[in-house]
Structures are given as C-alpha cells and as structure tokens.
Amino acid sequence: MAEPLRIALIGAGVMGRQHHQYLQNLPEARLCAVADPGPQAAAFAAECGVPYFAEHRRMLDEARPQAVIVANPNTLHVGTALDCIAAGVPVLLEKPVGVHLDEVRELVAASTGSGVPVLVGHHRRHNPLIVRARELVQQGSLGRLTTVTALWQLQKPDSYFDIPWRREPGAGMLLTNLIHDLDLLRHLCGEVVEVQAFTSNGARGFANEDSAAVLLRFANGALGTLTGSDAVAAPWSWELDSGENPVYPRQADQPCYLLAGTLGALSIPQLRRWQYAEPGAGWHQPLLHSQESNTPGEALSRQLQHFVRVARGEAAPLVSAADAGNTLALLEAIQRAAASGRACVPELLSLQ
Ligand SMILES: NC(=O)c1ccc[n+]([C@@H]2O[C@H](COP(=O)([O-])OP(=O)(O)OC[C@H]3O[C@@H](n4cnc5c(N)ncnc54)[C@H](O)[C@@H]3O)[C@@H](O)[C@H]2O)c1
C-alpha cells in the first residue's frame, strides 16, 4: 500500500476537529500539521503530535503537506485555497466555497489553470442515502419530476452565536446552512434557473437572516420550495432527520425533502417511495408505498476517502470549485431576490 497521504489542517475549530476525527480512522492518510492563529490551536496540534503554525503560508513552506483541509471562517476560504494552489497542494475546502461569486471565479481559474484540484465540502453528496435518491430520480422512477419541497427548520442553541464571525456578514443561515440544501437540490433535481424569496431576521435580531422562504424553478420544469429557519423548535432538517451526525438526536420518521413526479414520490432521508399500481390511476385508488434501506452512512469519512483519491490524481472532485460556485450563484440569486422583491436568475459558471 502507498504511504499515507500527509494532510495538513488549516482551521482547527469545530469542523476542522471533526475532519481530524475521521482522518484518524483512515489508513490511507494522516495529519501532518495544524495552522490556526486561535488560542487553542497550539494545544490541539500538540495533542495530535504534529507541528503547529499560527500562519498557513509558513505551514505550507515548512511542513510541505501533500494535501490540505481548509476549515477556517467563510470569508477566508478563497484566499487560503489560492495560497494552497500556488503551493501546488490539493485542497478540501469547507463550504461555502466563497462568500462572493467574483472571488470564486478567481479560484476556479486558478484551480483549472494550475491543474491543482479543489474539492468543496458539500459532504452530503457522499452520503449513500443521497447517492441512492439521485439514482432513483435519474433513472426516472418518479416519472417527470414536477414538485420539490425542501425543509430546513430547527433551532440552533443561542450559544452557537457567541462566536462573533457566526453573527457577521459572510455567515448567516443561507450561507452557512441552506447552502447545503441548495447544493443537494441541484445535485438531485438539476440546475435552478429562477428564484423568488423572502428572508427575515425577526426571530434572532442579528444582521444576518434567521429564516427564509424560497421559490425555485428548475431547468427541467419542476417547481420547488425551500423553507428554512435556525430559530424554530421544529424537527424538519437534514441534521435532525438523516442520522448522519450523532451529535443531533435523530427524528428518524420526519422528512426534509419531498420529491414528486408524474409516476411517483420520494421522501428523503427515509427513501420511502409512493406510486399507483397502474400509472396514472389517481386519487380513488390506493397509493402504494415501499421503503428502501436507509442506513445513514458516514458522509464525512467517505468524503475524506474521495479526497485522498482526488489528491493522488486518481479521481476528479465530486464537487469542484465551479460546481460549488453554481450553488453559490443560486444562493446569491436568492439574496438578490429577497433584497429586491423580484424574481432573479442565478449567474451560473461554466462547468467545463
Ligand atoms: N460541512 C459542514 O457540515 C460544516 C459544518 C460546520 C462548519 N462548516 C464550515 O467549516 C468552517 C469552520 O466552521 P466552524 O464551525 O468549525 O468554525 P469555528 O469558529 O469553530 O472554527 C474556525 C477556526 O478557524 C480558525 N481561524 C481563524 N482565522 C484563521 C486563519 N487565518 N487561518 C487558519 N485558521 C483560522 C479559528 O481560530 C477557528 O479555530 C466554516 O466555513 C463553516 O461553514 C462546515
């Protein structure tokens, strides 16, 4: 077997440490350095037994990692990833890929021009539940996909917002959380070509929104809604429903995405399917349902395994910077729609 890939961590906060936990169980890679100017980072590096750096450029020069995980605050993502690309080091970049589409264009150009791959951390795409749901949609099990209902409604504890950057521009529920749902909707249902939206900060009173209601028109003609709030005592969200991460007590019977087509319907994460015995039989006939197996997979661990293959040049990123850029383009269209009260069109990047 090849030597374990030497991976450095830039940003050793909540998410960075979660990546490290999965990295510890991955024989094909190992942590080789930590870069983070925060007060607890040196002690964390010491616990892990790897060199500590306050500044990531020095780390790139001196530790010479073969790959890097970037899990620092959102506004630093693109600048940090550009430094890694300049050093020739493949990057697993946490989501959102950036906070403005303009900076993401620069990142896409740098990654494409240099051939240094960037994998963006929309880890839910790696979850076997989502892999199966996508297969079902793509093989036409639902017929013509017609309506899409997505829910992200839960309550973050107030203490979550004690960390200043989480209350400031560049964070917010849309960029921090709904971006995951928007990415999955694109992955499952195809590109979105038009949106309308309302947002509100009425529940928490921060500058950033805490709630949103979004209308989506997909390129394939399907229509969708996404309602989100981080301030409600409600059970409908990927976090609470999927069982992907045990830190969220699971509401296993509650769905967060409902996809409906002319031949059938699918609830996610249950992977429960509905259809008539005879296609088109309609509402006086029993609507039959069946259940696919839906064991939650370890999406973050699968994402890391994929990243090792990407960094070794054995696979193309499942979520490239351009692909994640299109999720950001969708999000920016939602922000423009909410601010203007008008329908808006995402400024999609080329995926070539
Ligand atoms: N994929 C997911 O499901 C998921 C979940 C949570 C967070 N995230 C993403 O992970 C990132 C970090 O979020 P978090 O909740 O861990 O935040 P956090 O505040 O817990 O951690 C951020 C860390 O970055 C460090 N940092 C600040 N400036 C830095 C710099 N210049 N260089 C290196 N490190 C620096 C901080 O000291 C801190 O340790 C965010 O982009 C967030 O969107 C992703």
Side-chain angles (χ1 to χ4, degrees):
M1 197 173 119
E3 284 285 298
L5 192 78
R6 296 170 48 253
I7 301 185
L9 179 61
I10 301 179
V14 173
M15 196 61 212
R17 289 173 194 224
Q18 218 174 314
H19 283 301
H20 174 245
Q21 272 182 3
Y22 287 103
L23 197 53
Q24 281 178 305
N25 297 324
L26 209 67
E28 54 268 49
R30 68 175 175 84
L31 188 72
C32 70
V34 168
D36 183 324
Q40 279 118 35
F44 174 70
E47 258 170 53
C48 300
V50 297
Y52 166 74
F53 299 84
E55 209 273 327
H56 68 265
R57 275 169 296 227
R58 225 185 113 204
M59 182 278 289
L60 290 168
D61 273 354
E62 294 183 17
R64 304 229 158 238
Q66 293 171 290
V68 163
I69 298 172
V70 175
N72 54 12
N74 298 348
T75 52
L76 304 177
H77 284 183
V78 168
T80 311
L82 286 172
D83 290 336
C84 296
I85 290 172
V89 182
V91 189
L92 167 53
L93 178 59
E94 259 311 332
K95 42 53 63 177
V97 55
V99 292
H100 299 295
L101 207 48
D102 284 342
E103 62 169 4
V104 176
R105 286 193 182 95
E106 194 185 341
L107 178 62
V108 171
S111 173
T112 316
S114 63
V116 178
V118 174
L119 170 68
V120 180
H122 285 296
H123 66 272
R124 295 179 194 177
R125 289 200 198 186
H126 300 265
N127 192 307
L129 290 172
I130 293 300
V131 173
R132 180 63 186 141
R134 189 163 188 260
E135 268 170 18
L136 289 169
V137 175
Q138 293 207 328
Q139 73 196 25
S141 308
L142 308 183
R144 180 187 193 277
L145 185 66
T146 305
T147 57
V148 176
T149 307
L151 306 168
W152 192 80
Q153 299 178 30
L154 52 55
Q155 194 163 61
K156 289 183 177 173
D158 293 344
S159 59
Y160 173 91
F161 296 97
D162 290 346
I163 296 177
W165 76 266
R166 294 176 173 172
R167 302 191 297 267
E168 290 163 5
M173 181 195 62
L174 276 164
L175 256 176
T176 306
N177 305 107
L178 292 200
I179 193 141
H180 277 301
D181 301 280
L182 292 166
D183 185 70
L184 275 194
L185 291 178
R186 289 184 54 241
H187 188 58
L188 292 170
C189 308
E191 217 59 86
V192 173
V193 292
E194 190 178 10
V195 298
Q196 299 188 18
F198 293 119
T199 56
S200 166
N201 65 353
R204 293 196 181 276
F206 297 140
N208 291 320
E209 72 289 333
D210 51 58
S211 307
V214 182
L215 292 178
L216 306 150
R217 185 192 301 283
F218 291 85
N220 59 16
L223 301 178
T225 62
L226 167 60
T227 47
S229 177
D230 67 24
V232 291
W236 305 295
S237 62
W238 176 263
E239 282 82 343
L240 298 193
D241 304 340
S242 70
E244 186 179 85
N245 185 339
V247 302
Y248 305 108
R250 191 175 183 192
Q251 301 283 341
D253 55 340
Q254 296 300 316
C256 54
Y257 309 127
L258 300 162
L259 311 187
T262 50
L263 295 181
L266 177 68
S267 73
I268 300 172
Q270 288 74 26
L271 294 183
R272 191 167 298 145
R273 295 167 63 182
W274 286 265
Q275 61 189 48
Y276 288 109
E278 290 295 323
W283 64 11
H284 293 301
Q285 298 301 315
L287 188 56
L288 309 174
H289 65 87
S290 58
Q291 177 82 49
E292 298 243 347
S293 106
N294 70 348
T295 320
E298 290 191 332
L300 283 167
S301 153
R302 284 168 186 258
Q303 178 179 258
L304 268 184
Q305 283 167 339
H306 173 65
F307 179 51
V308 170
R309 297 189 60 227
V310 168
R312 291 196 193 280
E314 296 165 6
L318 177 66
V319 190
S320 67
D323 197 350
N326 281 344
T327 298
L328 185 66
L330 171 55
L331 190 127
E332 287 193 353
I334 291 168
Q335 289 171 326
R336 286 198 307 277
S340 67
R342 298 209 183 90
C344 288
V345 171
E347 292 172 18
L348 297 177
L349 307 175
S350 162
L351 289 180
Q352 298 313 310

